Amino acid sequence: MDEMEAGVKPKRDIVTHGPYEGEHRERQVNIAKKLFSAMGIERHDSEMRQDWVRRGFRQFDAPISLILTYDRILDPGTTCHFDLGALGYGIVLAAWNRGIGAVTNGQGISRSDIVREVAGIPDEEVIMTAIAMGWPDDSFAANNVRSDREPNDNFVRYVGFED
Ligand SMILES: Cc1cc2nc3c(=O)[nH]c(=O)nc-3n(C[C@H](O)[C@H](O)[C@H](O)COP(=O)(O)O)c2cc1C
């Protein structure tokens, strides 16, 4: 946290896509507006907006932080990224099914070098993403925000179902 506030750039093992643009950026802005509105954070309140971003870097203050990694020998295969995503999704659903809150949080591994040191992760493992876990706090306003869903017809192509 100290280094991020001092302006040190993220250091991840994985390659990322840079800032969102176009419709991806629109979705990011849309969910930010919803969250800030629920939290009572004004548009020009840069300190509170920054505080919200920091919260993500703190794994939303959750008591448990899972770090998902894969064997470096599988690089640069895209399949291992996909497979680990499937595992992460399974973990998140299984947790909620047992009443435990869980959210995937890419921000949690922004400083993978520090995560590696703190969690004692060997160099042969690539740090991919994080999952924040804990008892859900329904009284926390942001937890009741629901992101918009794109209608299926906007992105699913149906073939062979004309009749
Ligand atoms: C792969 C992935 C990475 C994410 N990374 C972040 C993140 O870095 N910061 C954040 O605030 N939310 C992040 N999220 C969003 C939260 O996990 C989100 O609250 C959760 O997916 C439930 O909300 P949803 O129904 O809108 O997906 C991420 C979600 C996914 C699926």
Side-chain angles (χ1 to χ4, degrees), residues 17 33 40 42 45 56 65 67 71 77 88 91 94 100-101 108 131-132 144 160:
H17 49 67
K33 278 185 188 164
E42 303 286 341
D45 191 345
S65 176
I67 306 300
D71 285 345
I91 291 171
I100 300 168
I131 297 175
N144 294 310

Side-chain angles (χ1 to χ4, degrees), residues 4-5 7-8 12 19 28-29 56 72 75 80 82 86 105 113-114 122 124 144 149:
M4 297 215 77
E5 271 165 46
V8 178
R12 302 181 187 90
Q28 187 182 36
V29 169
R72 197 174 291 282
D75 255 342
C80 63
F82 179 87
N105 184 35
D113 52 331
I114 296 176
E124 306 82 66
N144 294 310
R149 292 291 185 265

Side-chain angles (χ1 to χ4, degrees), residues 1-31:
M1 295 304 301
D2 291 343
E3 290 197 20
M4 297 215 77
E5 271 165 46
V8 178
K9 296 267 177 259
K11 289 181 195 161
R12 302 181 187 90
D13 291 1
I14 52 167
V15 179
T16 56
H17 49 67
Y20 288 120
E21 290 175 14
E23 62 183 357
H24 302 286
R25 175 70 184 152
E26 275 172 35
R27 292 187 190 128
Q28 187 182 36
V29 169
N30 191 29
I31 188 65

Side-chain angles (χ1 to χ4, degrees), residues 34-110:
K34 281 190 163 193
L35 285 165
F36 290 155
S37 156
M39 296 296 296
I41 301 172
E42 303 286 341
R43 188 180 161 79
H44 299 293
D45 191 345
S46 54
E47 175 51 35
M48 286 309 289
R49 290 166 75 105
Q50 205 42 43
D51 186 63
W52 182 262
V53 175
R54 278 195 293 265
R55 185 184 292 271
F57 288 121
R58 292 198 311 266
Q59 284 275 59
F60 309 115
D61 298 328
I64 303 280
S65 176
L66 298 185
I67 306 300
L68 302 195
T69 70
Y70 61 87
D71 285 345
R72 197 174 291 282
I73 202 169
L74 298 172
D75 255 342
T78 319
T79 45
C80 63
H81 304 155
F82 179 87
D83 294 348
L84 199 51
L87 173 69
Y89 190 49
I91 291 171
V92 167
L93 292 184
W96 281 106
N97 193 42
R98 288 160 176 76
I100 300 168
V103 279
T104 315
N105 184 35
Q107 278 176 274
I109 54 90
S110 304

